[in-house]
Amino acid sequence: MSPFGDKKKYSFLSGRTVPAAALCVLFCAFFIYLCLTDSFSFPSPGEAPQPDAAVSDAPEIEAPEAEELPSPRPELLRTVLSPGPNDRFSKFPRLDSLDSDAVFFSDNLKYVFSDGHGDPLYRYEFGADIPESDAVDDGYFSDSAFIGNSIMEGFMLYGGIKTADYYAKKSINVVNISTNKVIPSPDGDITIMEALASKDHAKIFILLGINEISFTAEHFCECYSSLISDIRALQPDADIYILSLTPVTRSKSEDGSKFNKDNILAYNESLRRLAAKDKVHYVDIYGSMADEEGFLPEDGSFDGIHPYSQYYRQWADCLRTHTVVTADRRQKE
Amino acid sequence: MKKTLVFFLIIIFAVLYGCGTKPADIDISSLADSVMAGSAFSDELAPADSQIGCYLYGVDPALPENSVFLFSSGATAEELAAFKMRSAADAETVETAVRERISAQRASFADYNPDEVPKLDRAVVKRSGVYVVLCVAADSSAAESAVDAFFR
């Protein structure tokens, strides 16, 4: 018996058997070499199905507990309201004497508004620029909602304030904010107003206007005022903040479209008057993003309208240092 | 000899099968950097927090072992997302979420900026093993080539 079996039975392989085996050995050696050098990997045993990962709730950001407030300290009031080193954001209003019996504040000048809002500590008129103050930490925004358009979407992505709720989508304007279902929810997409109604917020920041640039300013403000009324109906205890429109680049401003500096500044002035009329706050974020000539830098945007990410961080810094500092209404009673 | 031949053939087929199913470990951050370094994107993409990225994609943030999200300024539909999941089944789930994201973006940009819709139509979606990658780019061929280099 031949060591290779019955030669007669395998006669069709005679002469080819040894070279074929040698070829197989060479191939195997080659692939084994590749495997050892990590160029390939052997199949792994099928992975056991993982149980559904427990949905980890986002860590709750607890608002700081309300502090026991000391007696009125007028010297701190002067410290708070002195113009800050960075006057770029601050247009400091004149101060008159205040009713100090109504004023309470703590050393670190941070407040938690357990009932939503209180009275301003300084003479402050709705629609006026909010003075610059010490930066709050982002826990301040944990009871806030930011609503608006694509630029508010950008703020959600790049502003760095992760403690707030965001209800924003491209194309949103003062009219379709109540009708377009753009916010995902467990029961399907809902409108921004429906999302706002789902949870109590102490502060609501609104950025709208760039998609409405073809409206007349009057019509825009009428719609905006109606929106404010609707928000108040949903969130009666919330402080409402109108955010100014943001700047565009010089090239965009001069391309003949309605997205120009003059129109935007006119809209912002109308929003300031609206804030005064409807008794809501107005925050000028335009200045936090514009250069000395009032434009978004040319290298600051792809299309001249949507800022690149670093400008959203400047906007966030502006919000952190322009908070409406009020006394907790409970303290007065 | 017959048994020897069969044995070697089994080895060969086993190795070939193994070579085709599981890619080497991929550093998705390096993948993203590589795609970004090329000419695929016209807009400036910036990294976004994983929590926000998973929210926008409708993905449970606890599912990915690792994820990378790069979004545009908002002016364009360009973006890049890369996931390393814990199982192939999870990767399949995320691929579905990615395709739903593309559909939603397409509907959104159809009114907002129709010029961006072709980029979404040419979106590059790759799933291999536990990895899922999406590129919506100005130059989808360049993006696909850069991604494929990591999956060879």
Side-chain angles (χ1 to χ4, degrees):
Chain A
M1 182 89 176
S2 162
F4 297 101
D6 190 332
K7 282 188 179 177
K8 187 175 181 182
K9 187 175 180 182
Y10 297 105
S11 62
F12 74 97
L13 288 176
S14 61
R16 301 180 201 167
T17 301
V18 171
L23 196 62
C24 290
V25 168
L26 282 173
F27 268 118
C28 288
F30 175 69
F31 284 118
I32 290 170
Y33 166 75
L34 291 176
C35 288
L36 289 173
T37 57
D38 290 332
S39 299
F40 295 95
S41 58
F42 285 98
S44 58
E47 292 179 291
Q50 297 294 320
D52 287 343
V55 174
S56 60
D57 293 333
E60 290 281 337
I61 306 294
E62 292 185 6
E65 293 180 6
E67 301 162 355
E68 267 192 67
L69 304 176
S71 302
R73 294 170 59 185
E75 63 274 18
L76 279 182
L77 178 66
R78 283 193 291 276
T79 301
V80 170
L81 297 174
S82 297
N86 185 357
D87 279 340
R88 183 179 179 188
F89 300 150
S90 176
K91 293 176 187 169
F92 190 64
R94 286 180 60 82
L95 284 183
D96 296 323
S97 59
L98 300 176
D99 177 5
S100 61
D101 289 337
V103 175
F104 298 89
F105 41 84
S106 67
D107 287 343
N108 63 0
L109 307 170
K110 291 186 177 65
Y111 281 83
V112 174
F113 310 117
S114 61
D115 62 355
H117 60 284
D119 291 329
L121 289 177
Y122 44 85
R123 179 161 299 242
Y124 166 69
E125 295 177 350
F126 290 110
D129 284 325
I130 298 170
E132 186 174 354
S133 58
D134 290 347
V136 296
D137 62 41
D138 285 356
Y140 175 88
F141 299 101
S142 62
D143 56 4
S144 302
F146 289 88
I147 69 174
N149 53 29
S150 58
I151 299 180
M152 184 59 90
E153 269 192 309
F155 186 67
M156 174 183 70
L157 286 171
Y158 306 123
I161 294 179
K162 301 178 185 179
T163 50
D165 292 317
Y166 292 87
Y167 308 122
K169 193 70 177 178
K170 58 180 66 65
S171 299
I172 289 299
N173 60 43
V174 285
V175 177
N176 65 22
I177 193 170
S178 303
T179 57
N180 284 19
K181 294 182 183 298
V182 295
I183 304 297
S185 81
D187 299 322
D189 291 350
I190 58 177
T191 68
I192 287 176
M193 296 300 281
E194 287 169 338
L196 205 55
S198 65
K199 181 179 170 183
D200 287 342
H201 294 95
K203 297 177 274 292
I204 298 171
F205 297 84
I206 309 170
L207 179 68
L208 292 169
I210 200 65
N211 292 326
E212 300 90 320
I213 206 70
S214 60
F215 290 22
T216 63
E218 183 183 355
H219 179 55
F220 171 57
C221 288
E222 281 173 4
C223 295
Y224 210 123
S225 184
S226 176
L227 173 65
I228 289 171
S229 298
D230 291 343
I231 292 174
R232 280 213 166 105
L234 293 175
Q235 300 276 345
D237 293 327
D239 277 329
I240 297 174
Y241 295 76
I242 294 175
L243 301 179
S244 69
L245 275 68
T246 53
V248 296
T249 59
R250 178 186 286 276
S251 58
K252 185 64 190 175
S253 185
E254 296 174 352
D255 72 356
S257 71
K258 291 205 170 191
F259 300 101
N260 60 64
K261 176 181 161 186
D262 290 343
N263 279 351
I264 289 170
L265 290 178
Y267 267 52
N268 284 345
E269 195 50 40
S270 298
L271 287 176
R272 190 188 286 278
R273 289 196 294 272
L274 175 65
K277 178 178 82 67
D278 286 2
K279 294 183 170 45
V280 297
H281 306 298
Y282 174 82
V283 187
D284 179 17
I285 60 172
Y286 186 100
S288 70
M289 303 163 86
D291 61 20
E292 293 75 17
E293 296 179 1
F295 295 106
L296 188 65
E298 285 300 323
D299 61 357
S301 171
F302 179 79
D303 63 353
I305 298 173
H306 294 86
Y308 285 143
S309 55
Q310 68 264 34
Y311 296 94
Y312 292 104
R313 292 190 284 275
Q314 290 171 201
W315 166 359
D317 287 341
C318 175
L319 290 186
R320 292 186 183 102
T321 55
H322 291 77
T323 54
V324 177
V325 184
T326 74
D328 191 319
R329 187 167 281 161
R330 289 182 315 172
Q331 301 294 329
K332 287 179 65 179
E333 293 169 357
Chain B
M1 190 55 221
K2 179 181 177 182
K3 288 181 183 176
T4 305
L5 270 174
V6 168
F7 171 76
F8 280 121
L9 282 171
I10 290 171
I11 295 294
I12 288 169
F13 281 121
V15 170
L16 287 173
Y17 174 75
C19 293
T21 55
K22 185 180 176 187
D25 276 350
I26 294 173
D27 180 347
I28 56 173
S29 296
S30 297
L31 182 153
D33 290 343
S34 176
V35 180
M36 291 286 293
S39 59
F41 299 104
S42 58
D43 195 353
E44 180 179 292
L45 303 194
D49 184 79
S50 291
Q51 194 92 5
I52 293 173
C54 287
Y55 163 74
L56 290 174
Y57 277 75
V59 172
D60 179 351
L63 282 184
E65 181 179 319
N66 195 9
S67 57
V68 171
F69 297 95
L70 292 148
F71 294 100
S72 76
S73 61
T76 69
E78 296 177 20
E79 65 188 52
L80 184 154
F83 302 84
K84 181 182 180 182
M85 307 305 292
R86 301 178 201 279
S87 70
D90 284 349
E92 197 172 336
T93 301
V94 162
E95 184 189 358
T96 302
V98 161
R99 294 192 184 278
E100 287 174 357
R101 164 79 177 168
I102 294 170
S103 296
Q105 285 286 83
R106 197 182 186 288
S108 187
F109 274 93
D111 292 328
Y112 184 69
N113 187 352
D115 291 345
E116 293 296 305
V117 171
K119 293 179 186 176
L120 291 156
D121 290 340
R122 297 191 307 263
V124 174
V125 179
K126 296 284 183 182
R127 176 170 64 88
S128 179
V130 298
Y131 300 94
V132 181
V133 179
L134 163 70
C135 291
V136 180
D139 186 343
S140 57
S141 298
E144 188 166 20
S145 296
V147 172
D148 284 346
F150 281 78
F151 284 99
R152 290 199 189 102

